[in-house]
Amino acid sequence: MEAFWISLVVIFVAELGDKSQLMAMTFATRFRTWPVLAGITIATTAVHLVSVAVGGLIGDSLPTTAISVVAGLAFLGFALWTLRGDELTEEESGKARRTTRNAVVAVTVAFFLSELGDKTMLATITLATQHGWLGTWIGSTVGMVAADALAIVVGRLLGKHLPEKAIKYGAAAAFAIFGVALLVDAIL
């Protein structure tokens, strides 16, 4: 359960202000909410399964202290990445608006491809080096889907009045705190 809750919280925070949330809001303006959430869930489940497999392999082959140091540094890097921000390119936004295929298929493919190498995938790999794969997989998937569902709901209610800077700084601070905690744990 610890792996589940840690992964859920970390990935939920990592997803705040991410381009996936922007994609979710864009798709939600074109399609109904449930097909968009279904596509997000399918893509996230697949990407995070690959992520925990990679993290599990890395975790089994490296010493615990080295993993904690690398994970701590990775989370500090994620904090900086979050401060830098993520934006949808015109091409990505255009694809989301032009899609005429089945909504679930369109969202699944778009999310799967956009998540490959994204910070939430890398964060899930990092978490899987520290915690059990099953709890990490389920927690990270639930955290991401919940964050994207929140983006859809809030985006529909508030439109462009979202406090983007507050979300960005809060997520970066959370990553920095996790990173420092992992480094302190490795040193002590």
Side-chain angles (χ1 to χ4, degrees):
M1 283 307 292
E2 180 182 342
F4 170 82
W5 288 111
I6 289 171
S7 298
L8 187 149
V9 170
V10 168
I11 298 304
F12 181 87
V13 168
E15 188 64 9
L16 296 177
D18 193 70
K19 72 178 176 183
S20 301
Q21 281 193 315
L22 300 174
M23 286 179 61
M25 286 198 278
T26 302
F27 276 122
T29 63
R30 175 105 170 106
F31 303 116
R32 291 177 321 193
T33 300
W34 293 115
V36 173
L37 283 176
I40 291 169
T41 302
I42 293 165
T44 301
T45 300
V47 169
H48 289 210
L49 182 59
V50 170
S51 300
V52 296
V54 170
L57 291 172
I58 292 170
D60 289 342
S61 63
L62 294 176
T64 307
T65 302
I67 291 172
S68 292
V69 169
V70 170
L73 293 173
F75 276 102
L76 291 175
F78 298 148
L80 293 174
W81 189 344
T82 300
L83 286 175
R84 180 190 63 124
D86 246 348
E87 293 180 6
L88 279 180
T89 65
E90 267 308 307
E91 181 183 344
E92 290 170 325
S93 185
K95 282 181 185 175
R97 283 192 302 269
R98 286 190 313 268
T99 300
T100 57
R101 295 174 290 213
N102 180 298
V104 174
V105 172
V107 173
T108 300
V109 170
F111 266 79
F112 183 84
L113 294 175
S114 74
E115 284 303 307
L116 294 176
D118 193 54
K119 77 180 164 199
T120 50
M121 180 182 187
L122 299 174
T124 303
I125 291 170
T126 303
L127 289 165
T129 65
Q130 302 280 312
H131 305 285
W133 74 271
L134 183 61
T136 300
W137 178 40
I138 295 170
S140 65
T141 301
V142 170
M144 186 161 164
V145 171
D148 288 333
L150 178 65
I152 292 168
V153 170
V154 171
R156 284 185 175 207
L157 293 175
L158 300 179
K160 294 187 182 266
H161 303 292
L162 298 174
E164 189 175 326
K165 282 188 178 185
I167 291 170
K168 181 192 297 188
Y169 292 137
F175 269 126
I177 290 167
F178 283 119
V180 169
L182 284 167
L183 289 171
V184 168
D185 186 48
I187 294 169
L188 302 177

